[in-house]
Amino acid sequence: MTSTDTPENLNPADPAATDGAPVMLALHQTALGGPEVLQLAELPRPVPGPGEILVAVHAAGLNPTDFKHRALSIFLPPPPLTLGWDVSGTVVETGFGVTLFRPGDEVFGMLPYPYGAGSHAEYVTGPTRAFAAKPAGIDHVQAAALPLAALTAWQALIDTAGLRAGQRVLIHAAAGGVGHLAVQIAKEHGAHVTGTASAPKHDFLRELGAHACIDHRSEDFTDTEERYDVVLDALGGETATRSVSVLRPGGVLVSLLPGAENTLAAAEKAQVRAVTLLVEHDQAGMRAVAELVARGKLRAHVSGTFPLAEGARAHALGETGRTTGKLVITVR
Ligand SMILES: NC(=O)c1ccc[n+]([C@@H]2O[C@H](COP(=O)([O-])OP(=O)(O)OC[C@H]3O[C@@H](n4cnc5c(N)ncnc54)[C@H](OP(=O)(O)O)[C@@H]3O)[C@@H](O)[C@H]2O)c1
């Protein structure tokens, strides 16, 4: 907590309050559409329910699911909506029954996916077990970049595929938000890591710990004698089906997007396990991520930060699909 961020002044007799009810600014939308539907709006500040904490948001990561949900009703009901699942900030208030955190604690976490969104705002509430203590050695921007992407990588590689030392793993889109954290997590687990990215990003992958790089623009990742134990596929579709052919029998394909129709049949024929993962809020995972960060084994690469008022610009950049590492929205 900084000297200016005491629980008292984060929980103010809010100067912006109307009718005595505290309000906050949020990146809000009342219609689906392009980045221009995002507007800075004054909304009632949420109140923590039983088992929840109210967090003053310092920074909030941006993920592809934010710009996908801005444009389409995938999992969420139609607007009005405030998006954002990643958060790093300071606990302001605790709801009934909360024992794990106190006002003033610095926390980071991923709100329950998909229905718990709302961190692209000055305040957000969420269940305590969506959060962990923010590692002291990183700032809120770094911490906000981690939760959704790092939990996805952890849940895919460790919880789902059971990655072990000595195994060989292929990570698609390895320079992206999920991929660049997955490379580090796999490396730390003693795996041999191959990543796909365009050639200018190969130095970045090697700095993260990748042993081999494939240029997805000029090389075919299936054109190899290599057989992997695990493939983490952030692309889905035909990439999922084609990934089956580079797995050894008994290997695991974890996709983050649905595979093409024939993926499961191809997997069955090749005797590999093919699953599609949807990230879940996960305190054990957050603590594992925090522990890796504290040991200096995991670090988010933040390639851009945008104030809340410029969230639309962050969305526009993110949805190019070409960003390296993470984009973060700064709030305080
Ligand atoms: N199911 C879930 O729970 C879950 C969780 C997290 C993310 N996801 C999904 O997973 C996908 C990736 O998420 P993210 O946050 O990592 O996205 P991201 O940060 O936007 O990914 C950007 C990266 O993708 C790379 N890329 C694009 N096309 C590629 C290709 N054909 N081969 C290799 N790399 C390619 C780009 O590298 P180059 O510029 O070098 O091409 C870029 O660095 C998104 O669709 C997201 O919605 C799903």
Side-chain angles (χ1 to χ4, degrees):
M1 197 161 63
T2 69
S3 57
T4 53
D5 289 344
T6 63
E8 290 73 26
N9 70 17
L10 290 173
N11 188 12
D14 203 317
T18 51
D19 301 334
V23 294
M24 65 172 186
L25 293 175
L27 194 62
H28 194 64
Q29 61 185 102
T30 53
L32 297 172
E36 69 283 353
V37 300
L38 297 167
Q39 303 290 337
L40 208 55
E42 204 172 69
L43 298 178
R45 198 174 78 186
V47 175
E52 290 187 334
I53 54 177
L54 173 69
V55 177
V57 181
H58 287 251
L62 183 74
N63 293 287
T65 189
D66 290 306
F67 31 88
K68 292 178 187 178
H69 277 95
R70 185 206 68 227
L72 293 169
S73 283
I74 304 168
F75 296 127
L76 297 179
L81 284 177
T82 301
L83 295 170
W85 283 268
D86 281 337
V87 56
S88 183
T90 306
V91 178
V92 174
E93 201 180 319
T94 57
F96 176 77
V98 171
T99 58
L100 298 183
F101 299 113
R102 285 190 278 206
D105 286 350
E106 298 203 313
V107 294
F108 73 141
M110 186 195 82
L111 300 166
Y113 189 84
Y115 303 112
S119 68
H120 292 171
E122 290 182 314
Y123 294 88
V124 73
T125 53
T128 55
R129 283 172 202 274
F131 295 90
K134 181 182 80 63
I138 58 169
D139 62 18
H140 284 292
V141 169
Q142 269 285 319
L146 286 162
L148 188 147
L151 281 182
T152 302
W154 182 269
Q155 291 171 7
L157 294 175
I158 310 304
D159 294 347
T160 303
L163 187 68
R164 297 186 307 278
Q167 289 193 319
R168 303 182 84 81
V169 58
L170 172 65
I171 296 170
H172 287 297
V178 175
H180 87 293
L181 299 171
V183 168
Q184 298 172 68
I185 290 170
K187 172 84 190 264
E188 172 56 12
H189 276 73
H192 181 279
V193 184
T194 301
T196 67
S198 56
K201 298 184 180 179
H202 287 190
D203 284 347
F204 173 63
L205 296 194
R206 289 202 184 89
E207 281 161 24
L208 297 173
H211 300 88
C213 303
I214 298 172
D215 178 2
H216 65 83
R217 294 197 179 143
S218 65
E219 294 173 72
D220 180 346
F221 71 89
T222 65
D223 187 12
T224 176
E225 298 295 306
E226 175 79 83
R227 289 295 172 265
Y228 301 98
D229 300 284
V230 176
V231 177
L232 173 51
D233 156 37
L235 300 167
E238 285 303 322
T239 302
T241 318
R242 300 179 70 239
S243 294
V244 165
S245 70
V246 296
L247 279 160
R248 64 161 180 76
V252 186
L253 167 65
V254 187
S255 292
L256 305 181
L257 297 175
E261 239 173 64
N262 53 347
T263 304
L264 287 181
E268 195 175 338
K269 193 166 168 215
Q271 299 180 304
V272 308
R273 179 176 176 230
V275 290
T276 305
L277 175 138
L278 193 64
V279 66
E280 295 177 74
H281 76 282
D282 170 7
Q283 192 173 48
M286 284 306 302
R287 286 178 173 162
V289 166
E291 193 261 339
L292 284 178
V293 170
R295 284 199 292 118
K297 302 297 181 189
L298 184 67
R299 183 175 174 81
H301 174 86
V302 178
S303 60
T305 60
F306 297 81
L308 191 61
E310 292 177 28
R313 282 210 302 127
H315 274 242
L317 179 60
E319 66 191 342
T320 62
R322 297 269 84 90
T323 51
T324 300
K326 296 288 304 177
L327 301 178
V328 173
I329 292 180
T330 53
V331 182
R332 282 184 171 75

